[in-house]
Amino acid sequence: MYDVKVYVTYKDSVLDPQGEAVKGAVHRLGVREIEEIRIGKYFEIKVRKTNRPIEIVIEEICDKLLANVNMETYRYEIREEV
Amino acid sequence: MYDVKVYVTYKDSVLDPQGEAVKGAVHRLGVREIEEIRIGKYFEIKVRKTNRPIEIVIEEICDKLLANVNMETYRYEIREEV
């Protein structure tokens, strides 16, 4: 079994209005230290071992389902459970 | 300046119906290796240095705004920009 963490974020060239809105809310709280907030999605996935390489499995579901590759980019970390 | 990454996830005791739905969609794609998916939020935050400790700033905005501490838990990583 593998524990995989996937992080999906907007590409740098894409505006993140939700992040801007949260930054505004943080400032209204009185917290002045925050310069920028960008919001993404985070997936914790348990994957069963098969004879397909784990990277192939993860990239397939990211490309087809978890990320909109036109606007978003993703990265992932794989940890093998012992 | 600090680069901070915050991960907000449901507590283990809280069901994640969105994660269940995505798992169903993954299986309908034909990817059988996936055992479990849990979905969270991910924030990339740029924080200006002040004389308040960075941990205090981050925990304040997490507790008050980014996470619903009744149902969610969070963790964060701080990297100082050089």
Side-chain angles (χ1 to χ4, degrees):
Chain A
M1 191 80 93
Y2 299 99
D3 273 326
V4 181
K5 296 184 195 316
V6 176
Y7 310 91
V8 177
T9 48
Y10 284 121
K11 291 181 183 173
D12 283 343
S13 56
V14 177
L15 285 178
D16 175 10
Q18 196 190 359
E20 282 297 308
V22 172
K23 190 177 82 175
V26 166
H27 287 173
R28 283 191 295 280
L29 267 184
V31 178
R32 299 284 164 208
E33 289 93 337
I34 307 301
E35 293 269 315
E36 191 187 335
I37 299 187
R38 288 179 75 87
I39 299 184
K41 284 172 286 184
Y42 167 59
F43 300 87
E44 291 179 347
I45 307 175
K46 288 194 189 298
V47 186
R48 213 179 17 247
K49 268 194 197 183
T50 63
N51 48 14
R52 278 215 297 173
I54 173 82
E55 292 81 3
I56 300 287
V57 173
I58 294 302
E59 289 179 19
E60 179 181 355
I61 67 171
C62 285
D63 288 332
K64 290 188 178 167
L65 204 66
L66 302 186
N68 167 355
V69 292
N70 296 306
M71 293 175 67
E72 294 171 330
T73 182
Y74 63 85
R75 63 191 169 81
Y76 55 86
E77 292 163 10
I78 297 170
R79 197 170 60 81
E80 193 166 354
E81 241 176 42
V82 281
Chain B
M1 191 79 92
Y2 299 100
D3 272 327
V4 181
K5 295 184 195 318
V6 176
Y7 310 91
V8 177
T9 48
Y10 282 120
K11 290 180 183 174
D12 283 341
S13 56
V14 178
L15 285 176
D16 175 11
Q18 196 190 0
E20 282 297 307
V22 172
K23 190 177 81 175
V26 166
H27 288 173
R28 283 191 295 280
L29 267 185
V31 179
R32 299 284 164 209
E33 289 93 338
I34 307 300
E35 293 268 315
E36 191 187 334
I37 299 187
R38 288 179 74 86
I39 300 184
K41 284 172 287 183
Y42 168 60
F43 300 88
E44 290 180 347
I45 307 175
K46 288 194 189 298
V47 186
R48 215 180 12 249
K49 267 194 201 185
T50 62
N51 47 14
R52 277 216 296 174
I54 174 82
E55 292 82 3
I56 299 286
V57 173
I58 295 301
E59 290 178 20
E60 178 180 354
I61 66 170
C62 285
D63 288 331
K64 291 188 178 166
L65 204 66
L66 303 186
N68 168 354
V69 293
N70 296 306
M71 294 176 65
E72 295 172 328
T73 182
Y74 63 85
R75 62 191 170 81
Y76 56 85
E77 291 163 9
I78 297 169
R79 197 171 60 79
E80 192 164 354
E81 240 176 45
V82 281

